[in-house]
Amino acid sequence: MTKGIDKYSIDSTDYTVGQDNVQRWGFDVHNPVFGISAGFIALFLIGTLIADAETAKATLDGVKWQIIGSFDWLFMWSGNLFVILCLVLIVTPFGKIRLGGENAEADYSYLSWISMLFAAGMGIGLMFWSVAEPVAYFTGWYETPLGVEANTEEAARLAMGATMYTGDFTLGPCMALSLCLSLSLPITKVYHYQCVRCFTQY
């Protein structure tokens, strides 16, 4: 590697995490990120409160269904691609790249990571989707399985069957895990040329 690239190494930078944060009233926040995010949230809440309740509900429902109807394919294909990405990382030298530099050490053991992933999976799967998914199928929130009439005994049976199928006998769990792993990569420790340097060694 050239010296021109070495100056961007996390091993030689003098930047300290949080050095540009604003500390007031007991808070420690990153000003541009927090300010812009809080501003958008405040505008959204104020606009929702000022608008008529029926108008706000109709608008938000319209946006929701428009997103679901237009980008459902993107969600499904993204999940499939994340599964493929994780498999590629497993079987190729890219999986040997050590994030954070050659001498970086993991903060947690494999057992701790597996425990955290298991806990997160059980939390979202059992506490939310185990109820939300069959209820959505039963009530016809989007559509009922096989197009049966919503809120009927047949819809209840098919709702449970469809939930078991998507949660146990498909790539649903793998897709969810791959999604978490893939999206966590960009928010790990910042790494620059170390990745390229590590990869060229294999």
Side-chain angles (χ1 to χ4, degrees), residues 60-96:
L60 294 176
D61 281 344
V63 172
K64 177 186 69 177
W65 291 116
Q66 185 67 29
I67 293 174
I68 292 176
S70 301
F71 296 102
D72 54 349
W73 62 270
L74 178 62
F75 176 78
M76 294 302 298
W77 276 107
S78 296
N80 293 329
L81 291 176
F82 285 135
V83 172
I84 296 174
L85 173 61
C86 288
L87 293 175
V88 169
L89 292 177
I90 291 172
V91 300
T92 65
F94 285 107
K96 298 180 180 179

Side-chain angles (χ1 to χ4, degrees), residues 35-45:
I36 294 173
S37 302
F40 277 117
I41 293 173
L43 288 175
F44 174 78
L45 293 176

Side-chain angles (χ1 to χ4, degrees), residues 3-181:
K3 293 183 178 180
I5 298 179
D6 289 343
K7 68 179 181 179
Y8 296 110
S9 168
I10 59 176
D11 296 325
S12 60
T13 182
D14 58 354
Y15 179 83
T16 302
V17 176
Q19 69 179 26
D20 299 324
N21 287 11
V22 176
Q23 299 178 355
R24 287 184 180 178
W25 305 304
F27 294 99
D28 185 0
V29 298
H30 192 278
N31 189 32
V33 174
F34 178 81
I36 294 173
S37 302
F40 277 117
I41 293 173
L43 288 175
F44 174 78
L45 293 176
I46 293 173
T48 304
L49 293 173
I50 292 177
D52 176 67
E54 293 298 326
T55 303
K57 182 180 184 303
T59 302
L60 294 176
D61 281 344
V63 172
K64 177 186 69 177
W65 291 116
Q66 185 67 29
I67 293 174
I68 292 176
S70 301
F71 296 102
D72 54 349
W73 62 270
L74 178 62
F75 176 78
M76 294 302 298
W77 276 107
S78 296
N80 293 329
L81 291 176
F82 285 135
V83 172
I84 296 174
L85 173 61
C86 288
L87 293 175
V88 169
L89 292 177
I90 291 172
V91 300
T92 65
F94 285 107
K96 298 180 180 179
I97 297 175
R98 186 180 294 272
L99 301 181
E102 297 177 7
N103 299 319
E105 295 183 359
D107 292 332
Y108 303 97
S109 65
Y110 279 111
L111 180 60
S112 296
W113 277 114
I114 293 174
S115 300
M116 287 187 282
L117 288 172
F118 179 80
M122 291 298 100
I124 189 64
L126 296 180
M127 302 302 293
F128 183 79
W129 286 114
S130 63
V131 177
E133 188 171 354
V135 169
Y137 288 141
F138 173 68
T139 58
W141 177 76
Y142 190 54
E143 287 183 2
T144 58
L146 303 179
V148 301
E149 184 179 354
N151 300 304
T152 61
E153 184 177 348
E154 185 179 11
R157 290 198 304 269
L158 288 176
M160 292 305 299
T163 300
M164 295 297 180
Y165 174 75
T166 58
D168 298 331
F169 301 107
T170 66
L171 286 177
C174 296
M175 187 180 296
L177 179 60
S178 300
L179 185 65
C180 295
L181 293 176

Side-chain angles (χ1 to χ4, degrees), residues 10 97-101 185 188-196:
I10 59 176
I97 297 175
R98 186 180 294 272
L99 301 181
L185 290 177
T188 53
K189 292 181 179 180
V190 179
Y191 62 103
H192 298 284
Y193 74 91
Q194 284 89 344
C195 291
V196 178

